[in-house]
Amino acid sequence: MSGTQPTVTLSGGGADDARTVVRALEGTFGAPDERPGDGNATVHTATFAGETDGSAADGGGEGAGRLSAPVTVTVQGSPEAVRRASETLARVFTARDDGAASGDQEQERELHLMP
């Protein structure tokens, strides 16, 4: 299951936008450990514990909602988890891929999501 545990860091927009992005990923990865709160945070983080039973994996994010402002999302995890998260977000939102960095066992990718 460690290969399916991406961590997403979201900046830009507000807490509602962060929750919208997290909801978009729930169909692929299941519920995160914690959803973004209402506070005045400028950066939100969510770690997903696993994946769904597969029934929503290809349709993840449908009906997630719209963004009110641009959001920068950094996805960290195994290359497979980062790929799946990136594909889900690109399917649901207008996304610009701002590049990736690979480590020994993990990858990091930054996406810029537009409303």
Side-chain angles (χ1 to χ4, degrees), residues 20-78:
T20 297
V21 173
V22 168
R23 274 194 307 274
L25 292 169
E26 287 179 344
T28 301
F29 297 105
D33 59 352
E34 196 173 317
R35 287 182 174 77
D38 288 326
N40 294 323
T42 57
V43 175
H44 299 275
T45 302
T47 299
F48 292 86
E51 61 185 293
T52 64
D53 62 8
S55 61
D58 292 328
E62 301 304 322
R66 298 188 54 83
L67 299 174
S68 67
V71 176
T72 299
V73 180
T74 302
V75 183
Q76 296 174 292
S78 72

